[in-house]
Amino acid sequence: MCIGWTTFQKHEEAEKCATELVSLGLAFCVQVENPVESHYMWKEKAESTREYPVRIKYIEKQGSAIQGWLKKNHPYETPQWIAIKACDLLEEYYQWALQDCVKV
């Protein structure tokens, strides 16, 4: 199981991501979080933007498909995508994800 993060400037875009990734079977749980203020460098200029973090839980083999979805559907020129492998999880939770949620 993996967990990935991205961000969207608009709540509606974050919700679209969550809905589509789950309905396509690419993720078994997507959480849209409260907005945060992001500070970053973009094209050699300091920027600040209010964004909605999106946490995506998925089976590792779906990672490249999620990245493809983000490249095609994300409004940012270079969307954030950071993912990690979960090293400790409840077996029942993992089995739920495999059996009930993920279209393979």
Side-chain angles (χ1 to χ4, degrees), residues 10-51:
K10 296 180 181 175
H11 187 260
E12 299 79 23
E13 295 166 341
E15 288 291 332
K16 176 187 175 197
C17 172
T19 301
E20 288 193 16
L21 291 181
V22 170
S23 66
L24 291 170
L26 299 178
F28 59 86
C29 180
V30 180
Q31 298 166 316
V32 176
E33 300 178 29
N34 289 323
V36 296
E37 190 71 22
S38 295
H39 299 264
Y40 53 94
M41 294 297 293
W42 180 250
K43 298 187 178 183
E44 300 182 16
K45 183 180 174 195
E47 299 280 346
S48 173
T49 305
R50 184 179 182 152
E51 297 180 298

Side-chain angles (χ1 to χ4, degrees), residues 5 7 16 21 32-34 39 44 49-50 53 55 60 64 69-72 76-77 79 81 83-84 88 95 98-99:
W5 290 269
T7 56
K16 176 187 175 197
L21 291 181
V32 176
E33 300 178 29
N34 289 323
H39 299 264
E44 300 182 16
T49 305
R50 184 179 182 152
R55 184 179 331 146
E60 185 174 2
S64 61
W69 187 94
L70 287 171
K71 287 179 183 180
K72 181 179 177 186
Y76 291 177
E77 182 180 332
W81 178 246
I84 59 170
D88 187 18
Q95 289 305 315
L98 290 176
Q99 295 171 5

Side-chain angles (χ1 to χ4, degrees), residues 54-72:
V54 176
R55 184 179 331 146
I56 302 165
K57 299 174 194 173
Y58 63 97
I59 303 304
E60 185 174 2
K61 68 180 181 177
Q62 301 292 46
S64 61
I66 292 172
Q67 286 186 39
W69 187 94
L70 287 171
K71 287 179 183 180
K72 181 179 177 186

